[in-house]
Amino acid sequence: MDYNLTKQQIALKKEFEHFFQEEMKKAPPEYWQSGQFETVYISDAGWEFYKYMKGRYAEKGWAALAWPIEYGGAGLTLMEQLLFDEAQSLYGAPRDIYGIRMFGQAVLVFATEEQRKRILPPIVSGEIQYCQGWSEPNAGSDLAALTTTAVRDGNEYVVNGQKTWTSGAHRSDKIFLLARTDPNSSRGEGLSVFNVDLKLPGIEIRPVHFMNGDHVFNEVYFTDVRVPASELIGGEENDGWRQTRATMNFERSLIAFFAGTRRRLDEFIEYVKTTKRDGRYLAENPIIRHKIAQLHVDIEVGRSLAYSTAFAELSGNMLFSAAAASESRVFGGELYQRVANVTTEIMGLYGQVESSRWAPLHGIASDGYQFNIGFNIGGGTSEIQRNIIAWIGLGMPRLKTVKTK
Ligand SMILES: Cc1cc2nc3c(=O)[nH]c(=O)nc-3n(C[C@H](O)[C@H](O)[C@H](O)COP(=O)(O)OP(=O)(O)OC[C@H]3O[C@@H](n4cnc5c(N)ncnc54)[C@H](O)[C@@H]3O)c2cc1C
């Protein structure tokens, strides 16, 4: 496969890198301490920096590089988007997964023209922040079993139910909600997607704290919430499962996994080159060198996977390839965990301290060791990704859902 970039793409890549290098000097300590992904929701200072950066992306015209100009995008290709995403994650800069990467992409493909013109520009400008309303207490891996209902009543839908694990709902303006519009349907049939304002009467957001007290997750309760019918994405009921499966692929096929682990590994290489144990630099220890070399190989393999997915998407024939998205997701998620595990192991006891002057690299090893397990759960667990690869990618028979009640 030919990965040659055009002269313009090479120049843009340099411009992105310079931009992130300079802007990220302004990130407050709270932003770095909180791990920079979902944890951006934890502190006010981290969240303010996120919004500042979203504003900067919009000013530069880079917030949605591959979206058409009429919806606020730059009208470029997925390749420019990939280069931007890679630089963004390499420098640990804020990313809008839920608005730009997921819901916005789905709106582009599935919404009506009126909805595209209304919903997309405020996502690009950073004015409206989205969260994802999919999981429920009894519907996670088996998402199609969800029970939140949206029943038509005149020009509105009346929504009742509960969502859980909703990252950042307490900081967000809107939620893209998956709900059952056909009460007699089962599983994927009869589901629809709605664009819902979180300030509507009847919505209650309750925090679900991490074990250390941090606030990222929420439960979102809907009690007789009246949502205008104009917010039904695509305007047709019961098309939500098709829309959601495509949105899942947008969430799963991310270059960010590999650029993010590259940055962690580069920081760690600097650490082993400058840290001595028993009078010798850690970088001189053959076991440590081999472990780091192996991680480097894994990151390069993952990066190639992300590039080949982008090139295939550019040719237009893979937009909804679930298997490719799952391959990227399972490899990237587990790689994040491998990097954290190796780093913690090599740092020894120092790798276990986080908020302390004794914590090397501002505690990223300990933070990553605890948080990165989440990369194997969020967006669909690694087991589910492997099921998809076996079924859709390799043509093995689909396993039936087993009812336990
Ligand atoms: C960091 C993070 C952020 C998240 N953010 C959001 C969000 O913003 N919005 C949202 O809606 N959700 C969010 N989630 C929820 C996430 O989508 C679910 O946790 C995930 O889909 C798994 O569902 P579950 O937790 O109900 O686990 P379960 O589905 O109960 O799974 C439990 C275990 O059983 C295994 N399992 C289940 N079914 C199978 C099967 N068929 N074959 C093999 N193994 C199986 C799973 O792999 C897992 O190990 C987030 C989760 C995390 C970790």
Side-chain angles (χ1 to χ4, degrees):
M1 188 160 296
D2 181 9
Y3 288 153
N4 283 343
L5 300 178
T6 63
K7 274 188 184 156
Q8 287 90 335
Q9 286 169 339
I10 292 169
L12 206 51
K13 183 172 154 63
K14 281 197 183 131
E15 206 182 331
F16 293 152
E17 286 176 0
H18 178 71
F19 168 82
F20 284 117
Q21 205 168 21
E22 291 308 307
E23 287 292 341
M24 290 312 289
K25 290 178 186 160
K26 301 175 191 162
E30 290 89 340
Y31 177 80
W32 291 117
Q33 277 159 14
S34 60
Q36 314 117 52
F37 172 49
E38 297 259 284
T39 43
V40 74
Y41 300 119
I42 293 170
S43 70
D44 290 344
W47 182 243
E48 283 310 312
F49 182 68
Y50 170 91
K51 288 200 294 189
Y52 164 77
M53 287 299 280
K54 273 217 72 178
R56 290 289 291 129
Y57 303 158
E59 278 165 31
K60 299 287 283 181
W62 294 343
L65 286 159
W67 290 7
I69 292 168
E70 61 265 38
Y71 308 124
L76 297 173
T77 70
L78 280 171
M79 198 60 219
E80 281 82 12
Q81 183 67 60
L82 184 80
L83 295 174
F84 179 81
D85 290 351
E86 189 170 19
Q88 188 180 43
S89 292
L90 197 59
Y91 286 91
R95 293 179 281 144
D96 180 3
I97 302 287
Y98 297 115
I100 297 279
R101 183 75 199 176
M102 295 179 73
F103 185 53
Q105 302 274 24
V107 167
L108 264 180
V109 179
F110 299 108
T112 63
E113 186 56 12
E114 181 280 320
Q115 289 171 335
R116 284 192 205 115
K117 288 195 170 128
R118 177 164 55 84
I119 295 172
L120 295 176
I123 298 181
V124 175
S125 67
E127 195 186 322
I128 298 290
Q129 186 59 41
Y130 275 88
C131 62
Q132 174 196 26
W134 291 356
S135 305
E136 298 184 0
N138 292 312
S141 300
D142 192 13
L143 185 59
L146 66 83
T147 57
T148 294
T149 53
V151 178
R152 180 100 190 203
D153 182 21
N155 279 338
E156 293 171 324
Y157 282 87
V158 182
V159 178
N160 282 286
Q162 182 200 343
K163 295 291 166 180
T164 192
W165 313 124
T166 322
S167 304
H170 58 304
R171 302 266 184 200
S172 302
D173 307 289
K174 298 198 178 191
I175 185 166
F176 53 96
L177 177 80
L178 186 63
R180 195 166 293 286
T181 29
D182 178 355
N184 301 317
S185 65
S186 71
R187 310 204 50 78
E189 302 147 21
L191 300 179
S192 300
V193 177
F194 293 90
N195 174 44
V196 178
D197 190 332
L198 283 167
K199 289 190 195 66
L200 286 177
I203 296 182
E204 189 191 347
I205 299 170
R206 296 187 199 161
V208 178
H209 293 286
F210 284 178
M211 282 173 80
N212 67 1
D214 285 344
H215 181 191
V216 170
F217 292 139
N218 301 274
E219 292 174 321
V220 185
Y221 290 84
F222 298 82
T223 310
D224 293 332
V225 178
R226 302 193 78 88
V227 177
S230 56
E231 304 300 355
L232 169 67
I233 297 303
E236 298 277 335
E237 283 184 10
N238 309 331
D239 191 33
W241 191 238
R242 185 174 73 105
Q243 298 177 7
T244 299
R245 287 183 66 178
T247 313
M248 286 173 185
N249 295 345
F250 295 132
E251 182 183 21
R252 290 170 182 169
S253 58
L254 295 174
I255 183 79
F257 284 127
F258 309 107
T261 46
R262 172 86 264 159
R263 179 169 52 87
R264 289 283 152 91
L265 192 67
D266 286 348
E267 287 165 353
F268 188 60
I269 290 170
E270 211 37 51
Y271 171 80
V272 297
K273 279 160 73 179
T274 52
T275 305
K276 282 187 174 175
R277 192 174 297 158
D278 300 330
R280 295 184 70 184
Y281 287 109
L282 290 172
E284 294 175 58
N285 179 317
I287 296 174
I288 291 175
R289 293 161 69 94
H290 284 193
K291 287 193 173 184
I292 291 176
Q294 182 58 49
L295 289 177
H296 165 75
V297 172
D298 289 353
I299 291 169
E300 287 306 304
V301 169
R303 188 165 172 265
S304 297
L305 194 62
Y307 267 71
S308 68
T309 306
F311 269 79
E313 283 183 0
L314 274 176
S315 66
N317 61 7
M318 259 188 62
L319 191 58
F320 302 125
S321 168
S326 291
E327 286 165 22
S328 192
R329 163 68 186 70
V330 76
F331 193 71
E334 293 183 1
L335 182 57
Y336 249 108
Q337 217 183 331
R338 280 202 295 284
V339 170
N341 291 357
V342 169
T343 314
T344 313
E345 183 191 350
I346 293 173
M347 283 180 173
L349 287 175
Y350 292 98
Q352 295 176 31
V353 280
E354 197 173 329
S355 308
S356 155
R357 69 190 173 95
W358 297 107
L361 302 176
H362 310 291
I364 59 161
S366 168
D367 183 54
Y369 189 83
Q370 294 171 70
F371 188 77
N372 292 356
I373 184 78
F375 286 117
N376 298 327
I377 302 171
T381 67
S382 291
E383 289 79 13
I384 295 303
Q385 307 310 325
R386 289 193 165 89
N387 282 350
I388 292 170
I389 294 165
W391 166 43
I392 299 178
L394 303 175
M396 296 189 210
R398 185 177 188 181
L399 296 180
K400 294 266 180 303
T401 305
V402 180
K403 288 210 184 325
T404 50
K405 286 180 197 164

